[in-house]
Amino acid sequence: MNQKLVIIPTYNEVENVEEIIKAIFNLQENYDILFVDDTSVDGTLAIIKNLQKQYSNNLFLEIREKKEGLGKAYVHGFKWALKRGYEFIFEMDADFSHNPKDLNKLFECCVNGSHMAIGSRYFNGVSVINWPMQRVMLSYFASAYVRFVTGLKIQDTTAGFICYKGELLEKINLDAILFKGYAFQIEMKYSAWKKNFKLQEVPITFTDRSKGKSKMNKSIIYEAIFGVFYLKFFKRYS
Protein backbone atom coordinates (compact mmCIF):
# COMPACT_ATOMS: atom_id res chain seq x y z
CA MET A 1 0.00 0.00 0.00
CA ASN A 2 1.14 3.54 -0.77
CA GLN A 3 2.09 5.45 2.40
CA LYS A 4 1.41 8.93 0.97
CA LEU A 5 -2.00 10.54 0.49
CA VAL A 6 -2.70 14.02 -0.89
CA ILE A 7 -6.04 15.40 0.30
CA ILE A 8 -7.56 18.03 -1.99
CA PRO A 9 -10.85 19.69 -0.99
CA THR A 10 -12.91 20.81 -3.98
CA TYR A 11 -15.94 22.84 -4.79
CA ASN A 12 -16.46 23.78 -8.44
CA GLU A 13 -12.88 23.28 -9.70
CA VAL A 14 -13.71 21.99 -13.18
CA GLU A 15 -10.97 24.15 -14.76
CA ASN A 16 -8.21 22.64 -12.62
CA VAL A 17 -9.06 19.16 -11.41
CA GLU A 18 -7.92 17.03 -14.34
CA GLU A 19 -4.62 18.90 -14.66
CA ILE A 20 -3.82 18.65 -10.95
CA ILE A 21 -4.51 14.90 -10.93
CA LYS A 22 -2.20 14.27 -13.86
CA ALA A 23 0.50 16.57 -12.48
CA ILE A 24 0.61 14.64 -9.19
CA PHE A 25 0.53 11.21 -10.81
CA ASN A 26 3.36 12.24 -13.16
CA LEU A 27 5.72 12.88 -10.24
CA GLN A 28 8.59 10.48 -9.66
CA GLU A 29 7.35 9.75 -6.13
CA ASN A 30 4.07 7.86 -5.87
CA TYR A 31 1.13 9.59 -4.20
CA ASP A 32 -2.49 8.62 -3.77
CA ILE A 33 -5.08 11.39 -4.08
CA LEU A 34 -8.29 11.86 -2.13
CA PHE A 35 -10.73 14.53 -3.26
CA VAL A 36 -13.17 15.70 -0.61
CA ASP A 37 -15.87 17.43 -2.61
CA ASP A 38 -18.71 19.58 -1.30
CA THR A 39 -21.11 18.43 -4.06
CA SER A 40 -19.72 20.50 -6.93
CA VAL A 41 -22.26 21.44 -9.60
CA ASP A 42 -19.92 22.42 -12.45
CA GLY A 43 -18.65 19.05 -13.74
CA THR A 44 -15.80 18.56 -11.24
CA LEU A 45 -17.27 15.29 -9.99
CA ALA A 46 -17.75 13.87 -13.47
CA ILE A 47 -14.09 14.47 -14.31
CA ILE A 48 -12.84 12.82 -11.12
CA LYS A 49 -15.13 9.81 -11.56
CA ASN A 50 -14.03 9.38 -15.16
CA LEU A 51 -10.33 9.49 -14.21
CA GLN A 52 -10.95 6.93 -11.46
CA LYS A 53 -11.35 4.39 -14.26
CA GLN A 54 -7.73 5.06 -15.25
CA TYR A 55 -6.33 5.43 -11.71
CA SER A 56 -8.58 3.00 -9.87
CA ASN A 57 -6.02 2.11 -7.18
CA ASN A 58 -4.77 5.61 -6.44
CA LEU A 59 -7.57 8.13 -6.98
CA PHE A 60 -10.35 8.39 -4.41
CA LEU A 61 -13.41 10.58 -3.95
CA GLU A 62 -15.51 11.44 -0.92
CA ILE A 63 -18.63 13.55 -1.54
CA ARG A 64 -20.13 15.52 1.32
CA GLU A 65 -23.82 16.36 1.17
CA LYS A 66 -23.42 19.98 2.20
CA LYS A 67 -20.80 22.71 1.97
CA GLU A 68 -19.24 23.08 5.43
CA GLY A 69 -15.91 24.71 4.63
CA LEU A 70 -12.27 23.85 4.18
CA GLY A 71 -11.54 22.78 7.75
CA LYS A 72 -14.40 20.28 7.90
CA ALA A 73 -13.36 18.88 4.53
CA TYR A 74 -9.80 18.29 5.73
CA VAL A 75 -10.94 16.70 8.98
CA HIS A 76 -13.11 14.34 6.94
CA GLY A 77 -10.08 13.52 4.81
CA PHE A 78 -7.77 13.05 7.81
CA LYS A 79 -10.14 10.53 9.36
CA TRP A 80 -10.45 8.69 6.04
CA ALA A 81 -6.65 8.54 5.72
CA LEU A 82 -5.99 7.40 9.29
CA LYS A 83 -8.58 4.65 8.99
CA ARG A 84 -6.61 3.30 6.01
CA GLY A 85 -3.21 3.55 7.63
CA TYR A 86 -1.51 6.28 5.60
CA GLU A 87 1.77 7.40 7.17
CA PHE A 88 2.17 10.74 5.35
CA ILE A 89 -0.90 12.91 4.75
CA PHE A 90 -0.83 16.12 2.74
CA GLU A 91 -3.01 19.21 2.47
CA MET A 92 -3.01 20.79 -0.97
CA ASP A 93 -5.16 23.19 -3.03
CA ALA A 94 -6.70 22.15 -6.32
CA ASP A 95 -5.88 25.36 -8.21
CA PHE A 96 -2.07 25.06 -8.69
CA SER A 97 -1.34 27.76 -6.13
CA HIS A 98 0.77 24.95 -4.65
CA ASN A 99 3.27 23.43 -7.08
CA PRO A 100 2.81 19.64 -7.13
CA LYS A 101 6.58 19.21 -7.47
CA ASP A 102 6.96 20.67 -3.96
CA LEU A 103 5.15 17.66 -2.50
CA ASN A 104 8.50 15.88 -2.62
CA LYS A 105 10.16 18.60 -0.55
CA LEU A 106 7.51 18.34 2.15
CA PHE A 107 7.70 14.57 2.13
CA GLU A 108 11.50 14.58 2.53
CA CYS A 109 11.20 17.00 5.45
CA CYS A 110 8.91 14.59 7.31
CA VAL A 111 11.03 11.58 6.40
CA ASN A 112 13.98 13.38 7.97
CA GLY A 113 12.31 13.82 11.33
CA SER A 114 9.62 16.52 11.26
CA HIS A 115 6.06 15.70 12.24
CA MET A 116 4.63 18.57 10.21
CA ALA A 117 6.27 20.10 7.13
CA ILE A 118 4.83 23.48 6.17
CA GLY A 119 5.12 24.88 2.66
CA SER A 120 6.01 28.42 3.65
CA ARG A 121 5.51 31.58 1.59
CA TYR A 122 7.38 33.72 4.13
CA PHE A 123 10.28 31.60 5.36
CA ASN A 124 12.79 33.45 3.19
CA GLY A 125 11.17 36.84 2.72
CA VAL A 126 7.97 36.89 0.64
CA SER A 127 7.58 34.33 -2.15
CA VAL A 128 4.17 34.98 -3.72
CA ILE A 129 3.26 35.41 -7.40
CA ASN A 130 0.17 37.12 -8.86
CA TRP A 131 -1.29 38.37 -5.58
CA PRO A 132 -2.10 42.10 -5.32
CA MET A 133 0.07 43.86 -2.77
CA GLN A 134 -2.92 44.44 -0.48
CA ARG A 135 -3.50 40.70 -0.16
CA VAL A 136 0.19 39.96 0.33
CA MET A 137 0.34 42.49 3.17
CA LEU A 138 -2.87 41.14 4.74
CA SER A 139 -1.52 37.58 4.74
CA TYR A 140 1.98 38.52 5.89
CA PHE A 141 0.84 40.68 8.79
CA ALA A 142 -1.84 38.14 9.73
CA SER A 143 0.96 35.66 10.40
CA ALA A 144 2.82 38.26 12.45
CA TYR A 145 -0.37 38.87 14.44
CA VAL A 146 -0.78 35.13 15.10
CA ARG A 147 2.81 34.84 16.31
CA PHE A 148 2.34 37.82 18.62
CA VAL A 149 -0.85 36.46 20.22
CA THR A 150 0.04 32.76 20.43
CA GLY A 151 3.83 32.59 20.56
CA LEU A 152 3.79 30.13 17.66
CA LYS A 153 7.25 30.12 16.05
CA ILE A 154 6.11 29.84 12.44
CA GLN A 155 6.53 32.50 9.74
CA ASP A 156 3.58 31.33 7.62
CA THR A 157 0.91 30.45 10.17
CA THR A 158 -1.95 30.36 7.65
CA ALA A 159 -0.15 28.15 5.12
CA GLY A 160 -2.33 25.46 3.56
CA PHE A 161 0.32 23.29 1.88
CA ILE A 162 1.24 20.76 4.56
CA CYS A 163 2.62 17.27 5.11
CA TYR A 164 1.58 15.59 8.36
CA LYS A 165 2.87 12.39 9.80
CA GLY A 166 -0.05 10.14 10.62
CA GLU A 167 1.12 9.82 14.23
CA LEU A 168 0.61 13.57 14.71
CA LEU A 169 -2.97 13.49 13.42
CA GLU A 170 -3.71 10.50 15.63
CA LYS A 171 -2.75 12.55 18.71
CA ILE A 172 -4.94 15.54 17.84
CA ASN A 173 -8.62 15.41 18.73
CA LEU A 174 -10.00 16.03 15.25
CA ASP A 175 -13.55 16.23 16.56
CA ALA A 176 -12.51 19.27 18.63
CA ILE A 177 -11.20 21.23 15.62
CA LEU A 178 -13.49 24.25 15.31
CA PHE A 179 -12.52 26.43 12.39
CA LYS A 180 -12.87 26.18 8.62
CA GLY A 181 -10.76 28.83 6.88
CA TYR A 182 -7.41 30.42 7.72
CA ALA A 183 -8.21 29.84 11.39
CA PHE A 184 -8.32 26.09 10.71
CA GLN A 185 -4.77 26.21 9.37
CA ILE A 186 -3.66 28.15 12.46
CA GLU A 187 -5.53 25.78 14.76
CA MET A 188 -3.83 22.69 13.35
CA LYS A 189 -0.36 24.19 13.69
CA TYR A 190 -1.02 25.54 17.16
CA SER A 191 -2.50 22.21 18.33
CA ALA A 192 0.56 20.32 17.08
CA TRP A 193 2.92 22.85 18.65
CA LYS A 194 1.15 22.63 22.01
CA LYS A 195 1.66 18.86 21.92
CA ASN A 196 5.41 19.35 21.33
CA PHE A 197 5.51 17.93 17.83
CA LYS A 198 8.29 19.11 15.53
CA LEU A 199 7.06 21.68 12.99
CA GLN A 200 9.37 22.77 10.18
CA GLU A 201 8.89 25.27 7.39
CA VAL A 202 9.97 24.47 3.84
CA PRO A 203 10.30 27.46 1.48
CA ILE A 204 7.97 27.37 -1.53
CA THR A 205 6.69 29.81 -4.12
CA PHE A 206 2.94 30.39 -3.93
CA THR A 207 1.23 31.27 -7.23
CA ASP A 208 -2.31 32.59 -7.17
CA ARG A 209 -4.84 30.66 -9.20
CA SER A 210 -5.16 31.48 -12.90
CA LYS A 211 -8.38 29.47 -13.41
CA GLY A 212 -11.58 29.30 -11.38
CA LYS A 213 -12.80 31.48 -8.53
CA SER A 214 -11.24 32.06 -5.12
CA LYS A 215 -13.22 30.84 -2.09
CA MET A 216 -11.91 33.70 0.10
CA ASN A 217 -14.52 35.85 1.85
CA LYS A 218 -14.79 38.27 4.77
CA SER A 219 -16.18 35.68 7.19
CA ILE A 220 -13.03 33.58 6.77
CA ILE A 221 -10.85 36.59 7.59
CA TYR A 222 -12.92 37.48 10.66
CA GLU A 223 -12.78 33.89 11.85
CA ALA A 224 -8.98 34.01 11.75
CA ILE A 225 -8.77 37.33 13.61
CA PHE A 226 -11.01 36.34 16.50
CA GLY A 227 -10.26 32.61 16.44
CA VAL A 228 -6.66 33.22 17.46
CA PHE A 229 -7.77 34.57 20.83
CA TYR A 230 -9.93 31.51 21.42
CA LEU A 231 -7.03 29.18 20.63
CA LYS A 232 -4.72 31.03 23.00
CA PHE A 233 -6.99 31.71 25.95
CA PHE A 234 -9.92 29.31 25.92
CA LYS A 235 -9.24 26.06 24.07
CA ARG A 236 -7.84 23.19 26.14
CA TYR A 237 -5.09 20.95 24.77
CA SER A 238 -4.98 17.56 26.47
Side-chain angles (χ1 to χ4, degrees), residues 18 22 49-59:
E18 181 170 356
K22 292 183 176 179
K49 289 176 180 178
N50 185 56
L51 286 171
Q52 282 185 304
K53 300 172 185 176
Q54 181 179 352
Y55 303 109
S56 58
N57 295 322
N58 307 98
L59 179 59

Side-chain angles (χ1 to χ4, degrees), residues 5-10 34-38 62 64 68-82 89-95 97-98 103 158-164 169 174-175 177 179-182 184-185 188-189:
L5 178 72
V6 181
I7 301 173
I8 305 178
T10 46
L34 169 66
F35 285 95
V36 181
D37 190 89
D38 283 355
E62 289 281 289
R64 302 193 306 156
E68 295 181 303
L70 182 75
K72 296 291 186 182
Y74 272 128
V75 167
H76 183 106
F78 293 158
K79 291 179 177 180
W80 188 96
L82 292 174
I89 301 163
F90 298 77
E91 291 184 14
M92 184 177 179
D93 290 348
D95 60 8
S97 55
H98 304 140
L103 286 167
T158 62
F161 193 20
I162 312 287
C163 177
Y164 300 90
L169 293 176
L174 296 175
D175 291 327
I177 297 297
F179 301 118
K180 64 182 182 180
Y182 281 164
F184 163 78
Q185 303 293 4
M188 289 299 297
K189 296 176 185 69

Side-chain angles (χ1 to χ4, degrees), residues 10 14 84 101 121 129 143 157 171 175 180 192 222:
T10 46
V14 68
R84 289 157 180 80
K101 294 179 181 178
R121 298 162 290 185
I129 296 174
S143 282
T157 58
K171 296 294 185 181
D175 291 327
K180 64 182 182 180
Y222 293 150

Side-chain angles (χ1 to χ4, degrees), residues 6-231:
V6 181
I7 301 173
I8 305 178
T10 46
Y11 180 71
N12 293 347
E13 288 287 355
V14 68
E15 298 94 341
N16 295 301
V17 68
E18 181 170 356
E19 291 183 36
I20 200 72
I21 290 170
K22 292 183 176 179
I24 293 171
F25 285 149
N26 284 335
L27 295 172
Q28 189 172 5
E29 285 282 351
N30 294 319
Y31 297 89
D32 289 351
I33 304 174
L34 169 66
F35 285 95
V36 181
D37 190 89
D38 283 355
T39 315
S40 292
V41 296
D42 66 342
T44 296
L45 292 174
I47 292 173
I48 296 172
K49 289 176 180 178
N50 185 56
L51 286 171
Q52 282 185 304
K53 300 172 185 176
Q54 181 179 352
Y55 303 109
S56 58
N57 295 322
N58 307 98
L59 179 59
F60 306 99
L61 173 63
E62 289 281 289
I63 302 172
R64 302 193 306 156
E65 294 183 357
K66 60 182 179 179
K67 196 171 185 291
E68 295 181 303
L70 182 75
K72 296 291 186 182
Y74 272 128
V75 167
H76 183 106
F78 293 158
K79 291 179 177 180
W80 188 96
L82 292 174
K83 186 176 180 180
R84 289 157 180 80
Y86 283 96
E87 185 177 352
F88 301 94
I89 301 163
F90 298 77
E91 291 184 14
M92 184 177 179
D93 290 348
D95 60 8
F96 284 93
S97 55
H98 304 140
N99 187 337
K101 294 179 181 178
D102 288 334
L103 286 167
N104 295 336
K105 293 164 63 174
L106 300 182
F107 172 61
E108 290 172 6
C109 182
C110 281
V111 167
N112 290 327
S114 295
H115 298 100
M116 179 191 290
I118 301 162
S120 178
R121 298 162 290 185
Y122 308 128
F123 188 67
N124 292 323
V126 177
S127 187
V128 176
I129 296 174
N130 292 341
W131 259 8
M133 183 56 65
Q134 181 181 6
R135 189 164 178 187
V136 173
M137 298 299 287
L138 174 65
S139 175
Y140 184 82
F141 285 108
S143 282
Y145 163 76
V146 172
R147 290 195 300 275
F148 174 75
V149 173
T150 65
L152 185 61
K153 308 301 182 183
I154 296 293
Q155 294 299 312
D156 194 351
T157 58
T158 62
F161 193 20
I162 312 287
C163 177
Y164 300 90
K165 279 191 175 177
E167 62 190 88
L168 184 158
L169 293 176
E170 288 174 346
K171 296 294 185 181
I172 290 177
N173 182 0
L174 296 175
D175 291 327
I177 297 297
L178 297 176
F179 301 118
K180 64 182 182 180
Y182 281 164
F184 163 78
Q185 303 293 4
I186 299 164
E187 186 175 7
M188 289 299 297
K189 296 176 185 69
Y190 190 65
S191 298
W193 182 62
K194 290 290 286 185
K195 290 182 176 291
N196 296 316
F197 284 106
K198 182 179 179 181
L199 284 60
Q200 185 170 342
E201 291 182 272
V202 177
I204 63 160
T205 298
F206 178 96
T207 304
D208 194 23
R209 68 164 62 234
S210 60
K211 300 177 183 178
K213 295 182 179 179
S214 172
K215 311 303 188 293
M216 172 65 67
N217 57 54
K218 290 183 179 179
S219 66
I220 291 174
I221 296 173
Y222 293 150
E223 179 192 69
I225 292 171
F226 296 108
V228 170
F229 281 96
Y230 178 84
L231 296 179

